Amino acid sequence: MKLTGGIIALFVSLVVATAIDAAQCTNPVTRREWLELTATEKGQYTEALMLLKNRPISGQTRDPTIMSYDDFVQTHVENAVWTHGNAQFYPYHRALMHQFDLAIASTGWTGGVIYWDWPSVSQNWRDSDVFDYFGAPNSTDVDNCVVTGPFSKPNFTIAPGLTQFTRPIAEGGDRTCLRRCGQDVVLTDSTIIISALMNATTYIKFRGDDTSNYHAIGHTVLGVHHGLVDKVWWRWQQLCPEFKTDYEGTLIDVSDPVSDGVNSTAYASLQLDSFEWWKISDFLETESDLLCYNYSKSAGDLPLSLLPGLTCPSAKIVPEVESPIFLENWMQDAIGGLLNQANPVNISKRDLPSSSYSVTKNIDGTLTVNYPDGKKIFIPSKFKIHRVFESNIQAISLTNGKPKMFHEQKSVVLYQEPFCAVKPDPKNHCFLKNPPRLTEKIATGMNLDWNHVQSSDNISAMKVFEHNCKCSTQ
Ligand SMILES: *[C@@H]1O[C@H](CO)[C@@H](O)[C@H](O)[C@H]1NC(C)=O
Ligand SMILES: *[C@@H]1O[C@H](CO)[C@@H](O)[C@H](O)[C@H]1NC(C)=O
Ligand SMILES: *[C@@H]1O[C@H](CO)[C@@H](O)[C@H](O)[C@H]1NC(C)=O
Ligand SMILES: *[C@@H]1O[C@H](CO)[C@@H](O)[C@H](O)[C@H]1NC(C)=O
Ligand SMILES: *[C@@H]1O[C@H](CO)[C@@H](O)[C@H](O)[C@H]1NC(C)=O
Ligand SMILES: *[C@@H]1O[C@H](CO)[C@@H](O)[C@H](O)[C@H]1NC(C)=O
Ligand SMILES: *[C@@H]1O[C@H](CO)[C@@H](O)[C@H](O)[C@H]1NC(C)=O
């Protein structure tokens, strides 16, 4: 009897193990370099990008099959402050590329994510046939707007409403077109990638300063180029088993929506900006349950034998953590009292100066913080305001002394079916499905504002309906 039970248990565990194995990545998709595409594929890929661009903005990032190219631009810009110049940089962009992979596949393109190995042509990048498809860099336009190919001015415009963020205001000129600045620059060379990045012994060292390294020049000169950035990280991760899970550093600061509001340490268990339902840890390995890809070899992959000094860490990498200054501050504040001038609050550059907002005390004991742009954030009674950020406020509970983040309470945008002369036909080739909706339990479990979730779902459902109506009447 006992023996049989044991055999059954063993059998069950084998079945379970097999089921888990089946879900894992056994046959990774290889992401190819631009030059590996045939001329036909290059045209098809360009066409797929146009199809993505022509989709309406869905206003969400959860369902990639209805995301427009502009959804990627928009979420990247909106979260840029949290996702650059700090630990989140590489995993965030890997997640962005993953959604992009699924989005472009939903246009019918079957070739996966394509990257461009521009460090291998750092001197003569202008001669690459990439620009035959995506528009020549030596533009005749006064603002360097792309004027050849399908991404030309005026037909092609940057995601509406975002023009003020996409370039420094001081730069002026046409900020609605696709611009490539720096025709004469030499791009970061493959030798620099290998000596400055591949030689790193920790993730912190590898990441370096992403706001000024090879990544930044890619944005300025080329526009989209994150395929290569992800490959560089992937290649470094291949060097040592420990690098595949190595993740450490800090967030920009505690005002990052994914922060616990207490300290700015980055953990692999934290959520990702733009994709709150995922964790950093979901994006450390490219061959997992969620991701299943690797990269092809390309001309810029200089041999790693050029790094004779590199030895893998013998033990788990001990994270280098910056001192938790914010933690000290809120504790000091909670104890000393906000108005206690003997304990001055250490204000970072991300705090709004107190002269730029006003605080009103309401009859019921709650506080209203009035922002210069008209935005209001309510703080319940039994909380006192500690730090006021651009988009949220950290307040400290008078009951347990713990800090909590408060966000703007937006009212729910209700779904109202837009007018359509016909009934949209799901069999139409351009018909888009609505994104799946999160339940309230899941949304609040992920710390998302339920009103905001419902509104963005309603707004994208209306946009999708309008798109489907238009596609059915064409
Ligand atoms: C990528 O995966 C494919 C199998 O899908 C495999 O043949 C190839 O060797 C892998 N490449 C690398 C660099 O691991
Ligand atoms: C841009 O560069 C290409 C390739 O070098 C050349 O054929 C073309 O004439 C140039 N166009 C302008 C406007 O300079
Ligand atoms: C813009 O689109 C129109 C209509 O499709 C087309 O005729 C025109 O050539 C396009 N302009 C450019 C610069 O591509
Ligand atoms: C890699 O780093 C080691 C140790 O810091 C150094 O001695 C070596 O010169 C570096 N190699 C290259 C190619 O930069
Ligand atoms: C920062 O907060 C986390 C909780 O999210 C905690 O586990 C960690 O110990 C804190 N770090 C420091 C240095 O206090
Ligand atoms: C504020 O924080 C900075 C950075 O850690 C530190 O150098 C400075 O001494 C702090 N100032 C106060 C008043 O605590
Ligand atoms: C739109 O949001 C409201 C919340 O006010 C929600 O009750 C409703 O289900 C949403 N509309 C649809 C079609 O799901």
Side-chain angles (χ1 to χ4, degrees), residues 26 30 45 56 75 90 97 129 131 138 160 174 193 212 241 277 337 340 387 426 449 453 458:
T26 47
T30 303
Y45 186 68
T75 200
Y90 280 100
M97 290 305 295
D129 74 337
F131 300 107
N138 53 347
D174 185 342
I193 304 258
S212 64
W277 58 95
N340 184 345
R387 302 181 67 190
D449 179 79
V453 170
N458 281 347

Side-chain angles (χ1 to χ4, degrees), residues 82 86 88 250-267 269-273 276 280 326-327 330 387 389 392-394 403-407 446-447:
W82 315 120
N86 76 102
Q88 224 190 131
T250 50
L251 303 172
I252 289 291
D253 75 17
V254 293
S255 62
D256 185 324
V258 302
S259 142
D260 62 0
V262 180
N263 67 47
S264 53
T265 310
Y267 295 96
S269 58
L270 291 183
Q271 294 156 283
L272 282 160
D273 284 300
E276 303 93 334
I280 299 286
F326 298 109
L327 184 66
W330 74 258
R387 302 181 67 190
F389 301 112
N392 47 24
I393 291 175
Q394 188 193 59
K404 192 172 171 186
M405 287 300 228
F406 293 93
H407 304 263
M446 298 191 308
N447 264 330

Side-chain angles (χ1 to χ4, degrees), residues 43-58:
Q44 286 167 344
Y45 186 68
T46 313
E47 178 63 24
L49 283 174
M50 288 308 293
L51 288 174
L52 266 196
K53 175 69 187 174
N54 291 338
R55 283 185 186 173
I57 295 184
S58 71

Side-chain angles (χ1 to χ4, degrees), residues 177-301:
C177 67
L178 171 63
R179 299 209 300 200
R180 297 210 172 91
C181 306
Q183 294 180 32
D184 302 326
V185 301
V186 169
L187 297 181
T188 308
D189 191 84
S190 310
T191 55
I192 296 176
I193 304 258
I194 195 140
S195 61
L197 285 104
M198 293 298 157
N199 204 19
T201 48
T202 62
Y203 175 72
I204 276 199
K205 293 199 180 89
F206 168 76
R207 191 181 65 76
D209 180 7
D210 60 74
T211 59
S212 64
N213 68 4
Y214 74 107
H215 153 256
I217 202 166
H219 271 304
T220 317
V221 179
L222 309 169
V224 192
H225 65 98
H226 267 287
L228 187 270
V229 169
D230 187 61
K231 177 180 173 180
V232 170
W233 184 30
W234 170 84
R235 197 161 180 243
W236 177 75
Q237 289 187 310
Q238 301 294 302
L239 292 176
C240 299
E242 293 82 2
F243 292 172
K244 286 197 177 155
T245 49
D246 184 22
Y247 178 75
E248 76 258 8
T250 50
L251 303 172
I252 289 291
D253 75 17
V254 293
S255 62
D256 185 324
V258 302
S259 142
D260 62 0
V262 180
N263 67 47
S264 53
T265 310
Y267 295 96
S269 58
L270 291 183
Q271 294 156 283
L272 282 160
D273 284 300
S274 289
F275 313 104
E276 303 93 334
W277 58 95
W278 279 322
K279 292 189 163 132
I280 299 286
S281 53
D282 295 327
F283 290 91
L284 296 183
E285 298 192 56
T286 66
E287 295 178 33
S288 63
D289 283 345
L290 177 66
L291 304 178
C292 193
Y293 68 87
N294 62 21
Y295 281 97
S296 66
K297 188 165 163 43
S298 61
D301 294 352

Side-chain angles (χ1 to χ4, degrees), residues 412-415 437 454 458:
V412 180
V413 177
L414 294 172
Y415 180 84
R437 285 172 180 260
Q454 289 181 94
N458 281 347

